[in-house]
Amino acid sequence: MTEETNVFTGKTVDEAIANGLEALKITLDEAEIEVVEEGKKKLFGSVKAKVIVKKKSSDAKRSADFVEGLLSVLGINAVTEVQDGEEFIRIEINTTQSSRVIGKRGEVLDAVQCLAGAVANIGRDEYRKVVVDCENYRTQREDTLKSLAEKLAAKAVEKGRKMILEPMNPYERMIIHSALSENTEVKTVSEGKEPFRYVAVIPNNAKPYDKGLRFDRKPREGGEKRFDKRGGNGERRRDRNDRRDGERRSGGGAKRGKKEIHFGTFLGNSNAQKTENEEE
């Protein structure tokens, strides 16, 4: 419906609005009204009031239009399908450039969802959840995280150590917590600060001082060797120190070119010489 067809007239503004509501079969709460010209009487005749009456866009429609406009600015051709449910609004994006819409681990899709939620809740007192998806990515990711949670719990129990996952957004952390909520062998906690907050799975037999083990890293065979700042490991450093101690005990090592005089050495020699003179 074009703007021209939304223009209604009447003797007064109220009459023009009433004519528009009746023609569009909507209520005043469902209408967006713009007064173009107020009716007034002239010496010869009168000027009719003129208003533009349009039906308000729903929260879901407004949000979907925003998503399509945003993707167009990004150079992505896409169309949206909207499900306006009671609990939440779901917007499905259909495009041949799904990888650009989803991004690495869903980061772009999460950003679009956040903005779409803000647009849908403009002027609302109670927040309404908005879910934006593309090629069923959300469901597939949820299944992957649930499977990962079970593997994580089994490994934590096997090793008796806390297992740490990579940083995740709040929604994905909630999936991990929910997947292991009924597991009696482990408990889950969120640690760290945003945006690097992560889930830790702690088995019942974990030691209190255990700092945890990253789930995606494998320990080195034969234990991990600690490297010093110079790049050498602990064994080389100990060998070097032992060799120096041996040289000191055996009197080995390079000879000094000049005799160094220290106050402590001087006083010690003086006392020794004094004692010898007294004995004589």
Side-chain angles (χ1 to χ4, degrees):
M1 187 177 292
T2 63
E3 190 170 294
E4 288 296 329
T5 58
N6 290 337
V7 177
F8 300 92
T9 59
K11 293 181 180 180
T12 62
V13 170
D14 291 340
E15 183 178 324
I17 293 174
N19 292 337
L21 298 177
E22 183 179 357
L24 298 177
K25 301 186 183 304
I26 57 176
T27 64
L28 185 61
D29 294 336
E30 299 173 326
E32 291 182 3
I33 299 171
E34 179 184 351
V35 177
V36 178
E37 189 173 354
E38 296 185 1
K40 57 183 178 180
K41 294 182 179 180
K42 289 186 175 183
L43 182 61
F44 301 100
S46 61
V47 177
K48 290 185 177 182
K50 184 183 297 184
V51 297
I52 297 174
V53 181
K54 295 186 294 183
K55 185 177 181 179
K56 286 182 180 179
S57 298
S58 65
D59 299 332
K61 182 65 167 58
R62 184 171 64 252
S63 184
D65 289 343
F66 168 80
V67 170
E68 288 189 4
L70 176 62
L71 296 178
S72 178
V73 171
L74 297 175
I76 300 174
N77 295 323
V79 294
T80 59
E81 295 180 6
V82 183
Q83 297 178 6
D84 194 353
E86 295 181 1
E87 296 182 358
F88 60 88
I89 299 170
R90 184 178 183 86
I91 301 174
E92 184 71 28
I93 300 174
N94 298 316
T95 177
T96 58
Q97 299 172 287
S98 58
S99 60
R100 292 186 61 191
V101 174
I102 296 172
K104 183 179 180 181
R105 295 176 184 171
E107 291 177 349
V108 176
L109 195 63
D110 289 341
V112 173
Q113 178 174 286
C114 181
L115 294 173
V119 172
N121 285 278
I122 293 176
R124 291 181 58 87
D125 295 330
E126 296 182 2
Y127 185 83
R128 195 174 184 193
K129 184 179 179 181
V130 176
V131 176
V132 179
D133 201 357
C134 181
E135 290 192 352
N136 207 29
Y137 171 81
R138 299 286 184 196
T139 302
Q140 294 176 8
R141 178 65 172 166
E142 184 174 343
D143 293 340
T144 300
L145 290 175
K146 287 179 179 179
S147 176
L148 179 61
E150 296 297 333
K151 293 179 181 178
L152 194 70
K155 192 168 184 178
V157 173
E158 177 188 354
K159 291 187 172 294
R161 296 194 61 184
K162 176 170 71 172
M163 304 301 296
I164 299 172
L165 269 173
E166 62 187 11
M168 294 180 178
N169 60 46
Y171 175 73
E172 293 187 341
R173 294 199 304 270
M174 181 191 67
I175 294 175
I176 299 292
H177 290 308
S178 177
L180 298 177
S181 60
E182 297 182 1
N183 192 313
T184 58
E185 296 181 299
V186 299
K187 66 177 181 179
T188 59
V189 294
S190 290
E191 298 178 346
K193 295 182 179 180
E194 296 291 359
F196 304 107
R197 198 161 171 80
Y198 56 87
V199 175
V201 180
I202 307 174
N204 297 337
N205 58 343
K207 296 179 180 179
Y209 54 81
D210 179 26
K211 294 183 179 180
L213 180 67
R214 297 248 349 158
F215 180 68
D216 54 350
R217 293 182 183 174
K218 296 181 179 180
R220 299 181 181 180
E221 295 182 0
E224 295 185 359
K225 294 182 179 180
R226 185 177 180 180
F227 284 78
D228 60 14
K229 294 181 180 179
R230 302 175 201 174
N233 58 31
E235 292 181 0
R236 292 178 182 175
R237 186 166 55 183
R238 283 196 298 272
D239 292 343
R240 191 162 56 244
N241 293 337
D242 292 342
R243 187 167 58 251
R244 288 176 180 173
D245 291 341
E247 291 174 354
R248 292 193 190 100
R249 295 192 191 101
S250 61
K255 294 182 179 180
R256 296 177 180 176
K258 294 182 179 180
K259 184 177 181 180
E260 295 183 2
I261 301 176
H262 300 280
F263 287 107
T265 304
F266 179 78
L267 292 175
N269 292 340
S270 299
N271 291 336
Q273 186 177 2
K274 184 178 180 181
T275 304
E276 292 176 356
N277 293 335
E278 289 178 353
E279 289 179 352
E280 292 177 355

